[in-house]
Amino acid sequence: MEALLKWAAELGVSDSPSPSPSLPSSSPSGTTTSSSPSCLGRSLVVADFPNAGGRGLAAARDLRRGELVLRAPRAALLTSDRVTADDPRIAACVSAHRPRLSSVQILIVCLLAEVGKGRNSVWYPYLSQLPSYYTILATFDDFEVEALQVDDAIWVAQKAKSAIKSDWEDVTPLMKELEFKPKLLMFKSWLWAFATVSSRTLHIAWDEAGCLCPVGDLFNYAAPDDDTSLEAEDTAELTNYQQKNEMINSSERLTDGGYEDSNAYCLYARKNYKQGEQVLLGYGTYTNLELLEHYGFLLGENPNEKTFIELDLDICSGGTWPKDSMYIHSNGHPSFALLCALRLWSTPTNHRKAVGHQIYSGSMLSTENEMGIMKWLISRCEGTLQQLPTTVEFDESLLVFLRTIQNSSNCRTDVKQSGFEQEFSVFLRFHRVELDCSGYNQLPVRLLRSLERWELAVQWRCNYKKTLKKCISYCESLVNELPLQLNQQ
């Protein structure tokens, strides 16, 4: 890490709150005349947050909202155009195949090409610090995919892996033409590079695939929310960046920075931070399943979570609301579109035209109509929970076990005492490991990685079930309250 920070400083990456008089320009070897020993230390420091994303960046001092915390010049961004500009052979081969390749495929090829150069790559200090494995949905094996339990989630995972495999097959001729090493030609390597691009790239205007930003990709994620208010004392010190972005609706502001006119990627503090606090960035508005698909993690409390339940065709087709707008919020409340669609569906066909304006405005039609909707939601959520193989309580206990076993020094004993010996036996059989193997006290690395993905799958399905239970409680409370409100009127 120390070598990475020094190398990044040589490329002009800096966490200095004040821009340097001039950004350094890169030499053909990828270095500059900068002599800074580290690119961090003024605003940020690398720190470990075991319960909040692992390795990340902490405030080196008190930071104010909107303050510039990291600047990375274009020379420090790993992009396909930068790689091809530095390597004419890669440029020629990519150019010949470009018409049938996506920008993401090209960036992945460029990334693997640099990996193949080893220490001869100008990007080696950065590449050597990248994770050796990822936990995005496409890396899930069949056991872990089935552990999601919910059909929609299973379909998303299977589709993601299938699409990535198709991309790999399409681009294999190019990689062979570039004489990639056999290991880099494997699907496993392609999947690793895809996960790197999916989980670590930042948006740039000139390439849809984005860019890899050394040090800038150390920030962990914070979900965007609706809190855009400022403390009174902050108002007078808004930067130009803030003044511009405070005019943008919070739902449209998907990042906390971007590539600016200064020819550098600039990242800003999304709120006030105290020294030592983890500094987070909002990558965008994602549900937990989307976070798992693209980044390999999920949030215990996600304000942007959407829980979908199976809806009859006549519910979805009765109005003009898109199907993906009909869901249950993380607090258990049905979305506006779902509520409206159910109100319309529960209204006799010959009366719908007369009350359509009320429904589309979000108004309740009648106590009877509303109670019928709530009872339908209760029934559908209960039915969905009953169809799933395990309960919330089982999943919560399993999560405790999985977290324990990953840190266990006596795996055999911990499994026997956990009550999950049967489930763990199925897991071991899937991975062709005998239950009574001599090395069972400490699991091999490949099984620990699979346990991590299994835990994510269980955590996702547990959150899904909890939301359904919240919806049941919310609807039951309305069913009890609505008659009382009617009597009071």
Side-chain angles (χ1 to χ4, degrees), residues 349-392:
T349 307
N350 58 339
H351 291 167
R352 290 180 182 177
K353 187 175 181 179
V355 299
H357 65 286
Q358 286 181 261
I359 292 173
Y360 278 87
S361 67
S363 300
M364 185 177 74
L365 297 182
S366 67
T367 300
E368 292 76 14
N369 179 279
E370 203 74 2
M371 287 182 66
I373 290 170
M374 295 303 129
K375 289 177 180 179
W376 183 92
L377 278 170
I378 292 170
S379 176
R380 181 53 56 97
C381 289
E382 288 178 340
T384 302
L385 288 171
Q386 289 170 3
Q387 290 174 2
L388 296 173
T390 58
T391 64
V392 170

Side-chain angles (χ1 to χ4, degrees), residues 290-315:
E290 290 168 338
L291 286 174
L292 205 50
E293 179 182 2
H294 300 295
Y295 298 101
F297 67 88
L298 47 79
L299 302 175
E301 296 292 333
N302 186 351
N304 303 302
E305 181 65 323
K306 299 176 182 179
T307 297
F308 294 90
I309 55 175
E310 185 178 353
L311 299 173
D312 300 335
L313 181 60
D314 50 349
I315 295 176

Side-chain angles (χ1 to χ4, degrees), residues 315-352:
I315 295 176
C316 300
S317 60
T320 59
W321 303 279
K323 189 174 181 180
D324 61 4
S325 68
M326 292 183 275
Y327 56 87
I328 299 169
H329 290 285
S330 57
N331 62 2
H333 297 192
S335 69
F336 177 83
L338 177 57
L339 203 53
C340 292
L342 290 174
R343 285 169 178 162
L344 184 65
W345 167 74
S346 62
T347 301
T349 307
N350 58 339
H351 291 167
R352 290 180 182 177

Side-chain angles (χ1 to χ4, degrees), residues 404-454:
T404 300
I405 214 71
Q406 290 178 67
N407 300 303
S408 175
S409 59
N410 194 338
C411 186
R412 188 195 304 271
T413 301
D414 287 341
V415 170
K416 288 183 177 180
Q417 292 177 350
S418 70
F420 290 100
E421 194 166 4
Q422 181 178 350
E423 288 75 15
F424 199 69
S425 176
V426 173
F427 167 78
L428 291 177
R429 283 200 303 271
F430 177 86
H431 291 283
R432 300 177 183 177
V433 176
E434 293 297 329
L435 187 64
D436 295 325
C437 67
S438 58
Y440 185 54
N441 282 340
Q442 289 187 317
L443 296 173
V445 172
R446 68 181 182 90
L447 288 188
L448 289 174
R449 292 175 179 178
S450 185
L451 280 171
E452 187 177 349
R453 295 190 294 267
W454 186 11

Side-chain angles (χ1 to χ4, degrees), residues 82-109:
R82 172 68 193 277
V83 172
T84 53
D86 289 347
D87 194 320
R89 183 165 175 269
I90 295 177
C93 292
V94 166
S95 179
H97 290 263
R98 187 179 291 274
R100 62 182 184 83
L101 298 180
S102 70
S103 57
V104 172
Q105 285 174 305
I106 292 172
L107 180 57
I108 292 174
V109 169

